[in-house]
Amino acid sequence: MTEKKPVIVVHGGAGTWQPERSQPGLEGVKRAAKTGFEILRKGGSAVDSVMEAVAVMEDDGAFNAGYGSTLNIEKQVEMEASIMNGKTLQAGAASLLKDIKNPVRLAKIVMEKTDHILVVGEGAEKLAKIFNLERRSPMTELRLKYHEQQKKILLEGKFELPKLYNLVKNHPEFFELETVGAVALDKDGNVAAATSTGGFPLKLPGRIGDSPLIGCGTYADNQAGACSATGVGEIAIRLVLAKTVCNFIEDGKTAQEAVESAISLVNKRITATYNSMGLIAVDAHGRIGAAHNSPNMCWAYLTPEIKEPVASLTAKIVK
Ligand code: GLY
């Protein structure tokens, strides 16, 4: 089999990137793309590439994943992550994590060392202990500040928490969804995807979003490609969005056409005011795709043809 040209695409989340956070975000996605690509360049696997790329963003502090995760209504962090191998269709995910330094590493352990796909809460914490995963408090000053701002608005009665639509209808600017993710194709033609997040600000304890759900936030299949989603998890779940992108690719669309079609689908089918979504993808031919309906999506890519990662705060905006 002829060797494929490796490629990686990463995202640091869709939403509104405030000016003061833009530069750290762009630097962070570039570092993540570089780290993941270096693994591919040395002949490493797409799975290792997306895991290390996502781990870089989990450690960064500029993103809503790992260190810097958003806080739930009880001022606690509950992180979640997933990973999928497009060669074998094996997948792993973990959720409701309080202090695992790199949730994506635990997702890979679930994929490779257990017979399961999704392990949450205490069970996940136990697994992390058995495999000696590093711990770190994910709380940052910035997230604590955001939490106080968001809670003040809530207490003023300007939105109602249990109804997500009502909650975000008037104040979408308070909801920043900087989930992180990566998709890659390695030289052997294998694709993989990984996604990691702190979830939705002010979410209820125990709420699980799209990021750890295979098919919703993450999907990879060598017969199509790989996709990672960012945005309102409940929307990605209802449209099984990452798998939908892969289905579009399998039906003959390029990665770019597929992510644009999926965002169009969101716009058409989910008519709530706040339906912010972003998608990155790579197809089995190594073509990349990135699209969103939010004002921004922080993302980067790297291929053998270019020396440095290309990063941007916008991709194709589909309205
Ligand atoms: N997409 C991240 C979340 O909604 O949890």
Side-chain angles (χ1 to χ4, degrees):
M1 198 185 80
T2 51
E3 280 192 8
K4 297 274 185 190
K5 282 185 186 170
V7 52
I8 185 162
V9 190
V10 307
H11 70 74
T16 303
W17 277 79
Q18 306 296 345
E20 74 270 15
R21 300 186 55 233
S22 300
Q23 206 48 40
L26 288 170
E27 294 304 322
V29 289
K30 277 195 222 169
R31 265 194 304 276
K34 250 182 163 166
T35 301
F37 190 76
E38 195 52 21
I39 290 166
L40 299 172
R41 199 183 58 75
K42 289 180 178 155
S45 72
V47 167
D48 286 340
S49 168
V50 295
M51 184 188 71
E52 294 301 339
V54 166
V56 165
M57 292 185 279
E58 288 176 338
D59 287 337
D60 192 297
F63 304 103
N64 176 14
Y67 181 63
S69 285
T70 195
L71 308 181
N72 69 15
I73 191 74
E74 291 182 346
K75 220 172 173 175
Q76 301 292 320
V77 170
E78 289 183 331
M79 299 172 284
E80 40 196 16
S82 65
I83 190 163
M84 185 162 184
N85 181 341
K87 183 182 178 188
T88 58
L89 298 186
Q90 283 182 312
S95 185
L96 308 183
L97 309 175
K98 297 201 180 307
D99 66 350
I100 306 296
K101 181 171 167 283
N102 293 111
V104 72
R105 296 194 194 283
L106 184 56
K108 188 159 177 272
I109 285 169
V110 174
M111 175 168 79
E112 293 180 347
K113 308 286 186 198
T114 80
D115 299 303
H116 311 307
I117 297 212
L118 174 59
V119 180
V120 310
E122 274 178 37
E125 299 285 343
K126 197 166 177 179
L127 202 57
K129 198 168 176 193
I130 289 167
F131 284 92
N132 292 318
L133 285 190
E134 278 182 77
R135 309 276 169 158
R136 178 187 195 178
S137 167
M139 300 264 188
T140 59
E141 288 301 320
L142 188 66
R143 289 293 171 194
L144 285 164
K145 189 180 102 184
Y146 284 173
H147 182 80
E148 292 313 319
Q149 288 170 351
Q150 290 154 353
K151 208 160 174 188
K152 187 165 171 283
I153 299 296
L154 180 68
L155 293 175
E156 283 167 1
K158 292 190 183 146
F159 55 69
E160 184 189 359
L161 187 63
K163 301 283 181 190
L164 191 59
Y165 173 66
N166 287 331
L167 184 141
V168 298
K169 189 168 61 176
N170 300 316
H171 300 282
E173 68 273 21
F174 289 102
F175 294 87
E176 299 192 346
L177 296 163
E178 296 94 357
T179 296
V180 305
V183 295
L185 170 74
D186 64 29
K187 71 169 182 31
D188 297 324
N190 299 316
V191 293
T195 310
S196 179
T197 191
F200 204 93
L202 298 186
K203 65 185 180 181
L204 294 182
R207 177 266 191 186
I208 291 176
D210 61 316
S211 302
L213 300 184
I214 299 304
C216 303
T218 302
Y219 203 74
D221 180 351
N222 278 8
Q223 291 186 19
C227 176
S228 171
T230 164
V232 182
E234 283 71 8
I235 292 173
I237 293 169
R238 282 190 273 165
L239 291 174
V240 198
L241 213 50
K243 172 67 170 141
T244 297
V245 168
C246 290
N247 286 350
F248 286 154
I249 295 173
E250 204 166 357
D251 290 346
K253 289 190 193 300
T254 64
Q256 185 60 36
E257 290 165 350
V259 290
E260 288 182 27
S261 297
I263 297 290
S264 292
L265 188 69
V266 171
N267 295 341
K268 197 166 134 201
R269 298 299 309 276
I270 310 287
T271 51
T273 309
Y274 196 62
N275 66 355
S276 180
M277 285 306 309
L279 295 164
I280 57 167
V282 62
D283 62 37
H285 302 287
R287 295 172 297 201
I288 67 167
H292 50 103
N293 61 5
S294 49
N296 301 116
M297 181 170 76
C298 184
W299 72 294
Y301 67 92
L302 191 47
T303 67
E305 284 85 22
I306 50 178
K307 277 202 167 63
E308 290 298 317
V310 176
S312 177
L313 286 175
T314 53
K316 171 76 184 177
I317 301 177
V318 180
K319 285 293 171 197

